[in-house]
Amino acid sequence: MAKMVDSKKLEIGLKVMSRVVTLRIQPEMEPYFRKAAQFINQRIDSFTKDHSGGEMDSWDFLITVAIEGMVESQKNQDKYKLLQQSLDKRLNELDNRIALN
């Protein structure tokens, strides 16, 4: 369920729980959005099974999945920064070695 909106954006419909959300995105991002929607639905199904009959409702499940996603994103950003710093340090060391020769 995708159609071109303008020369740069694609309009897609993603079903999360029982709702379809329409988004306008860059075409190259479509697989990521579809995978994210699939992951959200899987996580909500898991929460529903684990907490059936409990005090959590659909909003609680959605909020929990959103928080988990943001935490994972922050962890990945921190890992990327550390990796970038390590790479920069090694490149500087190599530059210094080359300069000495």
Side-chain angles (χ1 to χ4, degrees):
M1 178 179 171
K3 67 179 181 174
M4 292 301 286
V5 174
D6 58 39
S7 62
K8 296 180 183 177
K9 298 265 182 160
L10 182 68
E11 187 175 288
I12 64 170
L14 299 174
K15 188 173 183 179
V16 175
M17 296 175 69
S18 60
R19 255 181 127 143
V20 175
V21 178
T22 303
L23 302 168
R24 291 179 52 195
I25 60 169
Q26 297 294 331
E28 64 273 11
M29 296 301 291
E30 183 179 6
Y32 298 103
F33 277 86
R34 294 203 180 278
K35 194 172 195 176
Q38 181 182 15
F39 177 77
I40 289 167
N41 283 318
Q42 289 170 347
R43 292 298 296 148
I44 289 170
D45 286 346
S46 174
F47 285 133
T48 303
K49 290 174 187 166
D50 292 345
H51 298 92
S52 62
E55 57 277 348
M56 290 183 79
D57 65 8
S58 297
W59 278 104
D60 294 325
F61 296 137
L62 286 170
I63 292 166
T64 303
V65 170
I67 291 170
E68 283 183 343
M70 292 306 299
V71 167
E72 195 63 32
S73 175
Q74 289 298 313
K75 283 176 28 183
N76 288 334
Q77 286 179 18
D78 289 347
K79 286 179 188 178
Y80 175 79
K81 286 177 187 175
L82 289 174
L83 180 62
Q84 188 65 45
Q85 290 170 352
S86 174
L87 182 59
D88 288 344
K89 181 181 175 185
R90 288 183 182 203
L91 287 173
N92 285 334
E93 289 171 358
L94 286 173
D95 282 344
N96 290 336
R97 286 185 186 175
I98 292 171
L100 293 175
N101 291 333

